[in-house]
DNA sequence: AAGTTATCGATATTATAATATCGATAAGAG
DNA sequence: CTCTTATCGATATTATAATATCGATAACTT
């Protein structure tokens, strides 16, 4: 933020820390705090003090004050703005399987600025029903509905083998950002963003850690 | 891998690429291929050629052959080993809400070496039932069951406000690695790994990208 | 058999992010 | 009012990962 209102380029990594800061700072505010220092945040979230200070400074309108810290309200406001929590984006979900249904039913996305308006599925048995209040349409309607509703975000929760064709359809329908839960790589044009939710990759880290821990005990 | 059988330290990032390689290479093998070159993989997955070559080299027993590539079977075997797909780890899940149920019902974890054996929930109405064949126990049984079954992985799918206490209980019960789906930071002892599934962080990237795309069209 | 070429391994370079250091400054104590 | 101290901003350093470059080598072509 800072003065003029906009740039202060924020790094990808920092952007991903913002939700944690936001959550923690809101908690502080509820307890009546109005100012917060970087070291306190760092300790609470298990981060490096300098890193936190830089992140907070980037989200502060003016400057932090020595011996005191940063203004809470400013930080929270600017973080929410940077995270897009203020202007909510409409999205569609493709693949109303168990994971898709869970995501449709999760209320937490609303406060993150994501509003799922509809689902699509290839299974005729699901079409016409509604899940957590969201209507399920046939795949054939995807282009039409996305176009008319001006949808820019697509969520993919279909099996891996179906993911690429679905992705292509979403792109053709005008979607600019894709949240992919299928365990596969998706090829898209250069200006489209794919954010893959890497469950298998996460598991890889867990399993690897576990093996190392169990081995060091008895080598 | 390479000769002796073990080390070749693999970086965190590379480890997270392995599932994508594995999936793609299996596909090639099904089509009858026996050898694969780094540039082909790089093109298919949208990665840098040198990066892929280094990753594959680390997963190859001997060396790749110029003009040809790497032996498929070796790569797949070593990757599955590095990913822990061969020896499956038992895990418990805490929080049988909609996301928890979706994860319990997802069959794909088995082939990633994760075996969810039971769920725990604070809601008495759920206790005693079973979800996708997995029994739901009361929280009070957590320590006992984890200890007796020698569980080392815990999956947290409770609301954010309940996550830290649940995490503490899991650690006390001997869990060494935690897969956290609650949108909050978890504090743990140094030797415990927390892998947080960052939905809010992913959304932050999506929203950010979207804003930039929409702004550059009409600045 | 000789020449061409795609790929390899190794090393060097660059990019990105995390962390350490240090003088400056404002809050609070005495 | 002066002293102490926690925190700040800025700069420098280090860590990690991605990418570029180049000679060497094995497959294929002619």
């Amino acid at each position: 933020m800072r003065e003029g209102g906009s740039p202060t380029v924020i790094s990808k990594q920092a952007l991903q820390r913002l939700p944690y800061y936001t959550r923690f700072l809101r908690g502080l505010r509820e307890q009546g705090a109005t100012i917060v220092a970087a070291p306190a945040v760092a300790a609470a979230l298990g981060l490096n003090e300098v890193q936190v200070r830089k992140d907070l400074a980037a989200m502060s309108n003016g400057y932090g004050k020595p011996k005191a810290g940063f203004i809470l309200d400013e930080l929270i406001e600017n973080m929410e703005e940077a995270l897009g929590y203020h202007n909510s984006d409409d999205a569609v979900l493709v693949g109303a399987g168990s994971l898709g249904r869970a995501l449709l039913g999760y209320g937490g996305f609303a406060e993150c600025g994501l509003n799922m308006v509809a689902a699509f599925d290839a299974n005729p048995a699901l079409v016409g029903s509604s899940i957590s209040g969201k209507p399920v349409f046939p795949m054939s309607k995807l282009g039409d509905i996305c176009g008319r509703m001006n949808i820019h975000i697509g969520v993919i929760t279909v099996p891996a083998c179906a993911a690429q064709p679905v992705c292509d359809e979403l792109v053709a329908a005008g979607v600019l950002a894709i949240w992919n839960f299928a365990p596969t790589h998706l090829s898209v044009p250069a200006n489209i963003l794919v954010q893959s939710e890497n469950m298998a990759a996460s598991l890889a880290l867990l399993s690897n850690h576990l093996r190392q821990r169990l081995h060091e005990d008895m080598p």
Side-chain angles (χ1 to χ4, degrees), chain A:
Chain A
M1 295 296 139
R2 185 154 290 169
E3 315 289 307
S6 53
T8 305
V9 190
I10 179 130
S11 85
K12 237 176 175 169
Q13 310 288 328
L15 195 54
Q16 299 197 68
R17 285 189 291 271
L18 291 190
Y20 293 107
Y21 292 141
T22 306
R23 172 164 212 90
F24 177 68
L25 297 182
R26 280 176 180 161
L28 286 183
R29 184 165 59 180
E30 275 170 24
Q31 287 166 27
T34 60
I35 197 165
V36 64
V41 178
L45 300 186
L47 299 172
N48 178 278
E49 176 191 317
V50 178
Q51 183 177 59
V52 172
R53 187 176 303 127
K54 267 172 48 169
D55 290 343
L56 297 191
M59 289 293 134
S60 155
N61 290 339
Y63 286 87
K65 287 198 178 175
K67 188 76 185 260
F70 299 84
I71 310 289
L72 252 183
D73 284 336
E74 277 182 16
L75 290 178
I76 295 175
E77 180 67 15
N78 289 334
M79 285 184 184
E80 290 177 347
E81 178 63 31
L83 287 168
Y85 287 5
H86 290 155
N87 53 327
S88 104
D89 299 307
D90 286 343
V92 296
L93 180 144
V94 185
S98 60
L99 179 59
R101 275 194 293 270
L103 294 180
L104 287 172
Y106 180 55
F109 296 141
E111 70 178 30
C112 294
L114 187 79
N115 179 30
M116 298 217 204
V117 298
F120 295 85
D121 202 287
N123 181 354
L126 294 173
V127 170
S129 70
S130 82
I131 298 173
S132 299
K134 277 78 177 236
V136 182
F137 296 108
M139 291 301 294
S140 56
K141 289 273 179 64
L142 197 150
D144 183 35
I145 291 176
C146 289
R148 271 191 304 161
M149 298 192 71
N150 206 28
I151 302 289
H152 295 303
I153 295 186
V155 183
I156 296 182
T157 49
V158 300
C161 55
Q164 184 67 58
V166 162
C167 173
D168 295 341
E169 286 190 65
L170 284 168
V171 171
V175 157
L176 299 174
I178 289 176
W179 199 9
N180 174 39
F181 286 83
T184 187
H185 167 76
L186 296 177
S187 297
V188 291
N191 49 355
I192 307 290
L193 176 71
V194 172
Q195 177 66 30
S196 280
E197 215 60 49
N198 262 317
M199 306 252 195
S202 299
L203 274 178
L205 293 180
L206 287 177
S207 162
N208 202 258
H209 171 81
L210 202 55
R211 211 154 353 128
Q212 285 179 7
R213 285 301 322 277
L214 294 176
H215 274 38
E216 79 193 17
D217 289 350
M218 38 172 177

